[in-house]
Amino acid sequence: MRILFADPLVVEEQVGVPGKKAELNQLLKQTDFVSLHPPLTPQTRKMIDDDALARMKSTAFLINCSRGPVVDTDALVRALDAGAIAGCALDVTDPEPLPKDHALRERDNVIITPHVAWYSEQSLVALQAGAPQEVRRVLLGEWPVNVVNREVKGRNRAGL
């Protein structure tokens, strides 16, 4: 399996980054499975539109696990209707939830999950234990494991 990724914030030579960095348009043309994970920003809203879907292989599948509005839902329906892509798996949709009579429902080539695809008994235990463990670390004067804003290290009230 060959992995391609498109991420403006990742340098290809970074240690531990699997795959080869590519421009999004190149990635769309070459991949069999396009898995989306960007945050929703003005730049990523509807980044998968008619043009992006037209670049994909007719045998490719689109997977969206990020935010619904990253994909132009109307464009996705048009691409599926035209056979421009083989199918999609959506953990998120726009709108969310989809209306009961929406064109994406009841298709053999579309999987829609209720944005809880993360759920398992094991992940629930980890979720419930994770936050208290992070609080414990801070109270003991340790740096938390899951820090989003690493720039605050050394400049916070806890003195960490």
Side-chain angles (χ1 to χ4, degrees):
M1 175 171 64
R2 192 171 67 121
I3 299 172
L4 298 176
F5 69 91
D7 187 333
L9 302 178
V10 174
V11 177
E12 186 173 3
E13 295 77 26
Q14 278 184 284
V15 177
V17 176
K20 179 171 177 39
K21 187 171 182 175
E23 293 299 320
L24 180 60
N25 289 340
Q26 174 192 2
L27 180 147
L28 293 171
K29 290 177 186 177
Q30 295 181 17
T31 55
D32 297 311
F33 297 92
V34 176
S35 185
L36 302 172
H37 304 275
L40 181 60
T41 66
Q43 294 77 25
T44 62
R45 183 175 294 276
K46 294 188 179 186
M47 68 183 271
I48 302 300
D49 57 9
D50 287 299
D51 290 338
L53 291 159
R55 288 185 182 95
M56 292 175 64
K57 297 181 191 179
S58 63
T59 55
F61 289 84
L62 179 70
I63 303 164
N64 188 6
C65 295
S66 60
R67 296 289 180 250
V70 168
V71 176
D72 180 337
T73 303
D74 293 335
L76 178 59
V77 169
R78 286 190 292 272
L80 291 165
D81 286 346
I85 64 171
C88 64
L90 306 170
D91 185 46
V92 290
T93 59
D94 185 29
E96 194 167 51
L98 285 176
K100 290 182 185 202
D101 62 344
H102 195 277
L104 286 174
R105 293 192 181 272
E106 307 301 325
R107 291 179 182 246
D108 292 337
N109 60 345
V110 175
I111 297 171
I112 302 172
T113 62
H115 199 46
V116 292
W118 65 272
Y119 179 80
S120 68
E121 292 299 321
Q122 184 179 11
S123 65
L124 183 59
V125 169
L127 178 67
Q128 291 171 336
Q133 288 174 355
E134 292 289 66
V135 170
R136 181 180 175 275
R137 282 185 189 94
V138 171
L139 292 175
L140 291 173
E142 300 172 8
W143 186 245
V145 172
N146 298 301
V147 177
V148 175
N149 187 0
R150 295 192 178 278
E151 295 81 34
V152 302
K153 189 170 186 173
R155 298 182 301 150
N156 56 70
R157 292 184 301 195
L160 302 176

